[in-house]
Amino acid sequence: MADFKALAKDTVIYGASSIIGRFLNYLLVPLYTYKITAASGGYGVVTNMYAYTALLLVVLTFGMETTFFRFANKEEENPRKVFSTILVMVSVVAAVFVGLVFAFLGPISSALGYSAHPEYVWTMAVVVALDAFQAILFALLRYQKRPIKFAALKLLFIFLNIGINLFVFLILPKITSFELHVKWVFYINLFCTAFITLFFFKEIKGIGVGFDPKLAKRLLSYSWPILVLGIAGILNQTADKILYPLVDKSAAATVQLGIYGACAKIAMIMAMITQAFRYAYEPFVFDRKSAGTTLEDRKETYSKGMRYFLIFTLLAFLAVMAYIGVLRYIIHRSYWEGLRVVPIVMAAEIMMGVYFNLSFWYKLIDKTLWGAVFSGISCIALFAVNIAFIPKYGYMACAWGGVVGYGTAMLLSYFVGQKYYPIDYKLKDLGIYVLAAAVLFAGMLLVNRYLPVWGAILVNTALLGVFAVLIVKKERIDIPAILIKIKSKVKH
């Protein structure tokens, strides 16, 4: 129980930086959608470019975050040497990538459809290279259990990014003849990312431990399946935004992509929760002292982790749908036609989170090739849905493609995992929560359709309360005892 309390504490801190940071970052969504109208297609450019950078970040880190945790926790390895070797490897790859982009900037920009704006390409290339470098440094903070610095730097980036964006898009045009352009979104991101790198001076000194070629080979042997897994996984998240303008050649493609990208932002609370859980849970799982001393203890820990994750994400799903009448104001009215993708994208994100929880079995037995197989198959399924149905159904095909992709990976990982590393996830209990959430969601859809906004919020709050009561009853949560404990702590 003490270990789970430590996990919960770290999850709260990591979650604060992720969820609060993402929530604050939502200020940029109304800013961009109100200043860059749907009809202009400008937000479609932002959506498209950030999809490419997300994919490239996975390539440039090539599975080294997870590899770092695996090798740093091995008794026979020197954690400092592991960190130093990985940081050198990622730094060299990132530097070569940036050099190639600048060398072939013209052809790359033309291939992406931005021949008139190569600045989109080179700015985001430098950003993603710096992000890859920082990813290993942030992994070190997680390994050293320093969530405070981790959260502080994540939030500093968010506040700096928001502050400069507000100045550029709201204040500067009023006091000068400054002309707004989507390129400033990328310039600001570059400045903020570079600025945050300066705060890692102490950690960067660790690179002086040196580079171990033999260790590097073993690291690559472990990480390459994770790279394939990561590429397939990120394509499940970004392929729709990359494929859309390639499959749909119409003039409205960028406009439609912008609508989809803006509405999907509302659903990203699931990505925040999954990310916060992952930051705390990954080091926890690989540290056998925390996860449990025996195999059965560890399996019980993983089962409970899955249970708590699913409960919390289903609660978050219902909360978003309960208050969608208010949350929709995050984006401009011109984007509202795409709100129907929100529950679909959230469902896909829940499946992705479940898959993440299921994925530990092959990481723990060093069979990461399975992850590459699962994600590869799911990625093929997603591509097939998008390519086949985007021309007819537009961005709705993108939303359902995510469900098909993540659902495929989730099911494959579960059934194969039960053969190689069987865990009792107590599917009956999980099924009850899923069924209850589905029924309440159906009720919320009806309420949102036939009642005015504030009436819908009142009824939906009651429906949300029903799910909360179910959690309290099934998990045997002693609310009075918790309140007494909180009251006692407040007094002292």
Side-chain angles (χ1 to χ4, degrees):
M1 181 60 72
D3 290 327
F4 264 107
K5 287 182 178 179
L7 173 63
K9 178 183 176 182
D10 284 355
T11 301
V12 168
I13 297 175
Y14 291 126
S17 64
S18 180
I19 296 176
I20 295 175
R22 288 282 190 93
F23 178 77
L24 291 173
N25 209 27
Y26 273 155
L27 288 174
L28 298 180
V29 178
L31 178 66
Y32 293 155
T33 59
Y34 279 78
K35 290 295 180 179
I36 307 172
T37 62
S40 72
Y43 197 75
V45 173
V46 174
T47 301
N48 184 239
M49 286 304 299
Y50 278 120
Y52 278 110
T53 55
L55 173 61
L56 287 168
L57 181 59
V58 172
V59 174
L60 295 185
T61 53
F62 50 100
M64 283 298 164
E65 287 179 271
T66 299
T67 302
F68 170 69
F69 290 117
R70 179 58 174 162
F71 279 75
N73 281 292
K74 287 186 174 183
E75 293 183 1
E76 67 271 21
E77 301 290 355
N78 179 345
R80 293 187 65 199
K81 180 72 72 174
V82 172
F83 166 71
S84 178
T85 300
I86 288 177
L87 190 61
V88 170
M89 294 167 71
V90 172
S91 300
V92 170
V93 170
V96 171
F97 166 74
V98 171
L100 290 173
V101 168
F102 275 97
F104 300 98
L105 184 59
I108 294 173
S109 300
S110 297
L112 296 179
Y114 301 120
S115 57
H117 295 284
E119 67 273 15
Y120 298 168
V121 178
W122 73 258
T123 51
M124 296 312 292
V126 177
V127 166
V128 77
L130 289 173
D131 279 340
F133 180 69
Q134 288 183 13
I136 306 305
L137 299 170
F138 276 116
L140 177 66
L141 297 182
R142 291 159 60 197
Y143 170 75
Q144 294 175 339
K145 293 182 170 58
R146 297 166 63 192
I148 300 298
K149 181 171 183 177
F150 181 101
L153 291 180
K154 291 288 185 179
L155 289 176
L156 175 60
F157 174 84
I158 294 296
F159 281 116
L160 187 64
N161 192 33
I162 291 174
I164 298 176
N165 268 281
L166 291 175
F167 176 76
V168 170
F169 281 87
L170 293 182
I171 299 175
L172 205 56
K174 293 182 178 179
I175 60 178
T176 68
S177 58
F178 177 79
E179 184 179 351
L180 289 177
H181 195 282
V182 71
K183 66 183 178 182
W184 285 101
V185 174
F186 307 127
Y187 287 156
I188 294 169
N189 193 341
L190 173 58
F191 172 79
C192 295
T193 303
F195 184 73
I196 293 300
T197 306
L198 300 176
F199 291 87
F200 281 110
F201 176 76
K202 182 179 179 181
E203 287 74 23
I204 293 173
K205 288 194 300 184
I207 203 170
V209 176
F211 175 79
D212 187 336
K214 292 183 179 179
L215 174 60
K217 290 182 180 180
R218 287 188 285 117
L219 293 170
L220 287 172
S221 178
Y222 180 85
S223 71
W224 78 261
I226 298 177
L227 169 60
V228 177
L229 164 65
I231 291 174
I234 199 65
L235 281 174
N236 275 316
Q237 298 180 49
T238 62
D240 51 356
K241 302 170 187 68
I242 293 173
L243 286 172
Y244 202 107
L246 299 178
V247 175
D248 185 352
K249 298 293 186 179
S250 69
T254 305
V255 174
Q256 292 298 301
L257 179 59
I259 292 173
Y260 172 63
C263 291
K265 286 288 186 182
I266 299 176
M268 282 301 102
I269 188 171
M270 287 303 166
M272 300 179 208
I273 293 170
T274 301
Q275 185 182 54
F277 189 83
R278 172 177 172 264
Y279 281 150
Y281 198 49
E282 195 167 41
F284 178 85
V285 166
F286 285 118
D287 183 358
R288 296 197 172 190
K289 292 180 181 179
S290 297
T293 55
T294 68
L295 179 61
E296 290 306 313
D297 286 342
R298 290 193 292 273
K299 287 185 176 182
E300 178 65 20
T301 297
Y302 306 148
S303 178
K304 288 181 179 178
M306 172 71 81
R307 183 187 186 95
Y308 298 148
F309 172 81
L310 188 62
I311 289 172
F312 192 49
T313 51
L314 288 174
L315 183 63
F317 173 88
L318 292 174
V320 171
M321 294 313 302
Y323 305 115
I324 192 68
V326 174
L327 291 174
R328 63 182 176 176
Y329 287 97
I330 291 174
I331 59 178
H332 189 266
R333 288 176 179 270
S334 61
Y335 294 83
W336 282 8
E337 68 176 76
L339 288 172
R340 51 189 173 152
V341 306
V342 172
I344 304 170
V345 175
M346 282 196 297
E349 288 291 338
I350 292 176
M351 291 179 181
M352 190 272 284
V354 171
Y355 172 53
F356 169 76
N357 279 272
L358 291 170
S359 71
F360 281 106
W361 71 263
Y362 56 74
K363 294 177 183 177
L364 290 165
I365 63 174
D366 294 343
K367 298 292 184 181
T368 50
L369 181 60
W370 278 111
V373 172
F374 300 150
S375 287
I377 294 173
S378 69
C379 190
I380 291 171
L382 180 143
F383 266 70
V385 171
N386 278 273
I387 293 173
F389 297 108
I390 281 178
K392 184 175 181 179
Y393 297 103
Y395 53 71
M396 291 302 294
C398 298
W400 282 109
V403 172
V404 172
Y406 289 135
T408 299
M410 177 183 71
L411 293 173
L412 286 173
S413 186
Y414 173 76
F415 286 112
V416 178
Q418 290 303 98
K419 178 180 178 181
Y420 289 94
Y421 199 91
I423 296 175
D424 181 11
Y425 286 109
K426 297 179 173 57
L427 295 183
K428 181 180 178 181
D429 289 341
L430 298 183
I432 290 173
Y433 283 120
V434 173
L435 179 61
V439 172
L440 292 170
F441 167 60
M444 289 178 181
L445 285 180
L446 292 174
V447 169
N448 291 337
R449 182 174 182 179
Y450 294 108
L451 290 183
V453 173
W454 294 110
I457 287 176
L458 290 174
V459 176
N460 286 340
T461 300
L463 294 175
L464 192 61
V466 171
F467 193 73
V469 170
L470 174 64
I471 295 172
V472 170
K473 293 292 185 182
K474 280 195 64 63
E475 301 303 314
R476 296 186 174 89
I477 300 174
D478 191 344
I479 299 297
I482 293 175
L483 293 176
I484 291 173
K485 189 174 181 179
I486 293 174
K487 185 177 180 180
S488 176
K489 286 185 176 182
V490 170
K491 285 183 178 181
H492 292 87

